[in-house]
Amino acid sequence: MTEDEKAIRQVVETWISASQRGDIATVLGLMTDDAIFMVPGREPFGKEVFAAASRGQADAKMEGSSEIVELQVLGEWAFIRNHIDLTMTPPDGEAVRRAGYTLTLLRKQADGQWRLARDANLLAVRS
């Protein structure tokens, strides 16, 4: 495994653990300023909308896992195909489980760090 592959795997691990802790600042630091997210049923959105949605769910409990199925480094860009299984439980609500695949593009920044630049999230509600 190359150093870039190790670094990208660490980004994914940090993202999941920070999300489970509700550490929005760390998650935002793992993405480029021009990050774009694509999810079914809505127009693509950027980092600010992601941040606002995350703050709106700050009191929810998140549990989950992420498995990198494929990882390719192509110069200053890389992609990962990931299988994610997560459960979100709002403070006064019922748990919702979502699972499925994401296709994520990462870009190596001038500081040498890999950050999420584009993400197509295909998670669906599971029972």
Side-chain angles (χ1 to χ4, degrees), residues 31-32 34-36 77 104-107 115-119:
M31 62 182 77
T32 63
D34 67 342
I36 301 290
W77 285 88
T104 304
L105 300 178
L106 299 104
R107 190 168 56 223
R115 291 190 177 83
L116 179 144
R118 303 291 184 267
D119 188 72

Side-chain angles (χ1 to χ4, degrees), residues 18 28 34 55 81 90 98:
L28 294 175
D34 67 342
R55 285 190 286 273
R81 191 166 49 93
R98 289 187 172 85

Side-chain angles (χ1 to χ4, degrees), residues 38-54:
M38 294 169 284
V39 299
R42 74 186 278 192
E43 291 293 315
F45 56 92
K47 186 174 184 176
E48 291 304 318
V49 172
F50 179 95
S54 296

Side-chain angles (χ1 to χ4, degrees), residues 92-112:
D92 298 329
E94 189 173 319
V96 176
R97 179 176 171 239
R98 289 187 172 85
Y101 290 90
T102 65
L103 181 62
T104 304
L105 300 178
L106 299 104
R107 190 168 56 223
K108 194 171 194 178
Q109 303 293 279
D111 63 3

